[in-house]
């Protein structure tokens, strides 16, 4: 091999990348700070899930990993909103047959790891913390978390797939002209559980992503294969309805009784969960350049950590791996491929970061707003009529492969157009001819 | 003393802060990574100067340091623009009697240090690099740069006045919910010299700040007491007219002949200076909160590093020290004062950061633009008529104590108003009655 390659971080993106490298017949050393999750007792929070959608599947497909991951997936066809009275309202994600999937984060990671190891090309080292980075020479030192033993190796190419608090990025940050921003939103989150009802059945509909939108905060729930739901409360830290103000069991109980009564009846372990699960902050990261001299390349959250509200955090990382792979095909010179990837992908990292920030407001507030619902329904109708010439924003992000940066820009434009159309009285119930006539001038397409 | 106080960094802001603490009868340990500049050979670049103006003087005055620093000051009454043909055009900074001052950075720092030590309250330690920060306990470790000896002390209050690459801030950055951004503009800078002509006379007018505006890049020159000028070339790294494209002596010489012929004739050491002086990047830093639990407080560049184009980098730090001092007077509880200072001053850090970024374009490009000059002259005229009800942006920033955040917002608004007024044909030559009538509706003041 001309390239001695290292992947720092064996999380979701690192593990997928290892599969891609193996497929290129490249030998890889992969180091992970945490223990091997396949060999440790699974701690609370094991059931944490994510929403898998089209961009993710496509990236898995290239290395033949799609089928095994499909086994873990529970289809969610839309959002099921719960109001305080317990009424529900279903909002499909897309057209018939378009859905996202609840997948266990841990299971997904373990399967990708095992697939990578099975290729015989990938050596994985766990409990190894990256403690020194020599950017000029590509020399990395790892310190074993249990034994304290240090290992130092030099590589030709190093992928920093070591997450939002990346050690590789920290080293790059001290170099001139590295732009970096970390930003915490005012909300945090806490995970809670809705256990299975008898015979491993789901307590509520397992075919949807559940949302309890409450304007400044929200509860959501995604189904797990064992019949449970993982619920997440997103809420500001400060203020009357804020984490810092919910201190006693009585306060927590009263808060859930007031805002989430229909969820509460299925959450018998609420108070234990509340005490045992941490309240965590939500950070976004933006930086550039991701490439350092063709030797180091930041991937996934290390390059573009986002808030979780579009369900695209990991998926953006997966898509990045696929695109990098295409660049490695296109440019035989890896120096060039790293540089081109870094430049090309940067705006898309920024795009999905912004989309995810915006979607928090949509989920906790707008989904219960009449004007928003009307625009959303009209947008779906326009899509039916105009097809690919008008894709609703959610569809572009979730069910297409349009660049995030482009989706973001188009989404901004569509929102303006929809405001104007709705102001003229247009709705999903208008006739096709009416909708066509109104939308055509914006699209500048001929009939 | 109830408070055991440490200042990390004995630069301009740290040294001024030490004087303020001494005036409050507080004993201070002050640690500086670099050698004591009063006891070392002064390296090339010693003559680097800065522009001192009203906010700076006011902060010096409080601790009785104004008089000694005035001795170092060379008044600059306006910008003197040089075009490529060597024609010059003078643009005053304000009204008669309003000027800024070229002051040697090194001399200023040394005098503030000596003043602080003379109080008997301040212990200074040089060559001491801050190598560990315990945020919870306020314990700092310094490693001597020459001997390697480590010193560890615990303090009640620690000021991080350790500059744009602050070690204190780096420690805070690893904590949850610390927002941070570092951003490099696409230009860098290189310092050059215009030596004195015989008998220590200045080669060009020493009563102005000289600018050679060339749209995408510029040369500036500030006078020094020894008859020299410190020249600074600000220019993009990339592109045809960029630092990365000026590699040989021939290229540098040709570049100066083409763009700065009238400066070049006074720069006999250009090529030596070019080789011996580094080309440096220009970074801005924004972060919050600056206060960590009433124990740590970021000051000066550590909290708000800006690009140098408004001549307000150090001055913003000085003003911050004065404001903090007022907060310590107002709130006896230092925990409260730190928190209130951090909240109050944050928008002003952002304001001066933005103003400084905007002023680069003004200096290198707009000062040679007719529309801009017309607006600027009209703005000055409106100021003459309306006094404090209309202060030109430069006046607000440089000759007033209006908050930077307010100056920035007002400047944005004024620019819009001036565009509208100029579009109607109004100019500095319009009659007072005309100007009054046109401006009055905007100011909503009665005659």
């Amino acid at each position: 091999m001309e390239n001695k390659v290292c992947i720092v971080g064996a999380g979701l993106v690192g593990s997928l990348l290892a599969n891609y490298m193996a497929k290129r017949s490249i030998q890889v050393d992969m180091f992970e700070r945490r223990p091997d999750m396949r060999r440790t007792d699974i701690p609370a929070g094991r059931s944490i899930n994510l929403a898998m959608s089209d961009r993710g599947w496509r990236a898995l497909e290239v290395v033949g990993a799609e089928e095994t991951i499909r086994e873990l997936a529970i289809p969610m066809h839309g959002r099921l909103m719960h109001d305080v009275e317990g009424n529900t309202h279903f909002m499909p994600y897309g057209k018939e047959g378009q859905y996202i999937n609840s997948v266990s984060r841990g299971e997904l990671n373990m399967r990708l790891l095992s697939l990578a190891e099975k290729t015989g090309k990938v050596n994985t080292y766990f409990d190894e913390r990256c403690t020194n980075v020599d950017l000029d020479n590509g020399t990395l030192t790892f310190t074993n978390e249990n034994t304290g033993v240090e290992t130092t190796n030099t590589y030709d190419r190093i992928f920093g797939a070591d997450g939002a608090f990346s050690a590789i990025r920290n080293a790059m940050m001290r170099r001139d002209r590295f732009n970096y921003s970390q930003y915490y939103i005012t909300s945090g989150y806490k995970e809670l559980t809705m256990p299975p009802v008898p015979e491993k059945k789901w307590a509520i509909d397992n075919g949807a992503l559940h949302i309890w939108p409450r304007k400044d905060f929200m509860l959501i729930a995604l189904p797990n294969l064992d019949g449970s739901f993982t619920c997440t409360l997103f809420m500001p830290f400060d203020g009357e309805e804020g984490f810092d103000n919910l201190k006693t069991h009585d306060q927590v109980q009263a808060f859930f009784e007031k805002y989430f009564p229909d969820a509460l009846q299925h959450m018998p372990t609420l108070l234990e969960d509340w005490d045992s699960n941490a309240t965590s902050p939500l950070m976004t990261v933006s930086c550039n350049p991701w490439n350092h001299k063709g030797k180091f390349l930041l991937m996934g959250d290390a390059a573009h950590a986002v808030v979780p509200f579009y369900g695209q955090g990991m998926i953006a990382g997966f898509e990045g791996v696929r695109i990098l792979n295409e660049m490695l095909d296109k440019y035989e010179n890896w120096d060039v491929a790293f540089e081109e990837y870094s430049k090309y992908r940067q705006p898309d990292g920024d795009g999905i970061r912004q989309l995810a920030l915006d979607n928090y407001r949509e989920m906790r507030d707008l989904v219960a707003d009449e004007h928003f619902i009307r625009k959303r329904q009209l947008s779906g109708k326009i899509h039916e009529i105009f097809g690919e010439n008008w894709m609703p924003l959610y569809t572009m992000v979730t069910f297409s492969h349009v660049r995030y940066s482009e989706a973001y820009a188009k989404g901004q434009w569509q929102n303006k157009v929809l405001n104007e159309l709705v102001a003229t009285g247009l709705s999903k119930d208008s006739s096709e001819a009416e909708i066509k006539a109104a939308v055509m001038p914006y699209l500048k397409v001929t009939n």
Side-chain angles (χ1 to χ4, degrees), chain A:
Chain A
M1 278 310 89
E2 54 162 340
N3 281 322
K4 207 179 159 204
V5 172
C6 178
I7 299 174
V8 184
L12 294 161
V13 171
S15 301
L16 180 67
L17 180 59
N19 281 282
Y20 269 79
M21 288 295 123
K23 188 155 186 252
R24 300 187 78 86
S25 302
I26 289 167
Q27 197 76 34
V28 175
D29 286 349
M30 180 158 65
F31 293 86
E32 168 60 45
R33 182 173 56 78
R34 279 164 293 203
D36 186 346
M37 33 168 62
R38 297 162 300 180
R39 285 170 187 79
T40 34
D41 271 354
I42 288 140
R46 152 219 194 293
S47 66
I48 298 170
N49 38 33
L50 50 80
M52 177 69 89
S53 56
D54 291 28
R55 293 171 201 260
W57 293 125
R58 182 162 167 195
L60 289 168
E61 207 179 349
V62 175
V63 287
E66 190 192 350
E67 204 175 324
T68 176
I69 306 303
R70 285 269 183 204
E71 296 166 9
L72 305 172
I74 307 177
M76 300 183 289
H77 298 271
R79 295 167 175 161
L80 194 71
M81 266 80 70
H82 298 246
D83 70 16
V84 274
E85 278 83 40
N87 304 312
T88 60
H89 171 74
F90 181 74
M91 195 184 275
Y93 277 128
K95 294 186 292 193
E96 185 73 38
Q98 286 183 324
Y99 55 85
I100 64 175
N101 305 270
S102 179
V103 169
S104 157
R105 196 170 268 274
E107 283 293 333
L108 170 57
N109 205 337
M110 290 190 273
R111 291 200 181 191
L112 288 177
L113 269 173
S114 296
L115 279 176
E117 286 174 355
K118 242 174 55 186
T119 63
K121 296 279 182 194
V122 180
N123 299 311
T124 48
Y125 306 91
F126 293 93
D127 302 292
E128 296 284 342
R129 177 189 291 273
C130 182
T131 46
N132 198 53
V133 179
D134 177 338
L135 287 177
D136 294 319
N137 301 306
T139 303
L140 302 178
T141 302
F142 294 91
T143 305
N144 188 281
E145 296 276 46
N146 305 317
T147 63
V149 174
E150 293 192 348
T151 316
T152 299
N153 283 308
T154 299
Y155 295 93
D156 299 310
R157 315 286 179 182
I158 294 156
F159 294 101
D162 50 345
F165 297 92
S166 169
I168 302 296
R169 190 189 64 220
N170 276 344
M172 287 165 69
M173 217 174 87
R174 283 150 216 274
R175 289 299 170 103
D176 276 355
R177 300 174 72 190
F178 186 79
N179 296 317
Y180 174 74
S181 153
Q182 65 181 44
Y183 168 73
Y184 287 88
I185 66 170
T186 51
S187 288
Y189 72 96
K190 191 189 266 290
E191 276 170 355
L192 302 164
T193 309
M194 193 178 278
V197 288
E199 292 171 38
K200 290 211 172 184
K201 278 268 184 60
W202 291 274
I204 53 178
D205 182 359
N206 72 340
L209 189 153
H210 295 259
I211 312 183
W212 290 259
R214 296 295 178 269
K215 202 165 158 58
D216 292 325
F217 57 94
M218 69 176 176
L219 181 72
I220 69 167
L222 276 78
N224 299 310
L225 284 175
D226 68 357
S228 69
F229 278 85
T230 301
C231 305
T232 311
L233 175 63
F234 294 97
M235 185 164 64
F237 287 97
D238 302 331
E240 202 184 331
E241 272 124 15
F243 280 114
D244 294 347
N245 207 27
L246 292 183
K247 292 199 179 104
T248 67
H249 279 185
D250 284 353
Q251 286 170 330
V252 173
Q253 182 76 23
F255 177 79
F256 271 75
E257 278 168 10
K258 180 170 177 190
Y259 291 111
F260 312 120
D262 63 331
L264 178 61
Q265 60 177 306
H266 302 298
M267 300 173 77
T269 57
L270 171 64
L271 299 178
E272 292 113 88
D273 293 348
W274 190 272
D275 292 343
S276 58
N277 295 352
T279 306
S280 304
L282 290 162
M283 183 180 69
T284 67
V285 166
S286 171
C287 64
N288 77 71
W290 299 342
N291 167 35
H292 180 76
K293 298 181 176 172
K295 208 175 253 310
F296 288 83
L297 189 62
L298 299 177
M299 302 293 291
D301 283 0
H304 47 69
V306 304
V307 289
F309 305 110
Y310 228 116
Q312 293 282 324
M314 171 208 70
I315 288 173
F318 275 21
E319 189 181 54
V321 170
R322 172 182 68 77
I323 289 171
L324 172 68
N325 189 54
E326 287 167 12
M327 298 236 170
L328 293 174
D329 285 342
K330 183 172 168 192
Y331 307 101
E332 273 181 36
N333 183 328
W334 279 38
D335 287 10
V336 177
F338 275 29
E339 182 61 16
E340 292 301 315
Y341 171 77
S342 176
K343 276 192 206 154
Y344 173 87
R345 187 67 177 159
Q346 178 75 44
D348 297 320
D350 286 339
I352 191 57
R353 187 166 50 87
Q354 198 55 52
L355 285 163
L357 285 168
D358 294 352
N359 219 44
Y360 184 28
R361 183 158 176 238
E362 177 165 328
M363 290 177 78
R364 68 179 154 76
D365 183 5
L366 298 179
V367 287
D369 178 271
E370 268 188 39
H371 180 68
F372 171 82
I373 292 169
R374 191 166 168 178
K375 286 196 293 179
R376 198 173 193 286
Q377 289 171 337
L378 176 59
S379 184
K381 191 72 190 251
I382 300 173
H383 181 39
E384 276 178 33
I385 298 169
F386 288 92
E388 297 235 327
N389 289 312
W390 178 288
M391 264 196 274
L393 178 56
Y394 192 89
T395 301
M396 273 191 284
V397 173
T398 309
F399 305 121
S400 94
H401 302 278
V402 170
R403 293 181 66 173
Y404 289 127
S405 52
E406 204 181 316
Y408 178 65
K410 276 198 182 160
Q412 299 282 100
W413 171 78
Q414 282 180 348
N415 190 45
K416 254 179 51 189
V417 172
L418 289 168
N419 279 330
E420 290 175 22
L421 294 176
V422 164
T424 69
L426 211 69
S427 81
K428 73 171 202 312
D429 302 320
S430 305
S431 74
E432 191 172 317
E434 268 183 297
I435 295 176
K436 261 193 176 168
V439 174
M440 202 84 78
Y442 289 106
L443 294 184
K444 294 179 201 121
V445 294
T446 48
N447 203 341

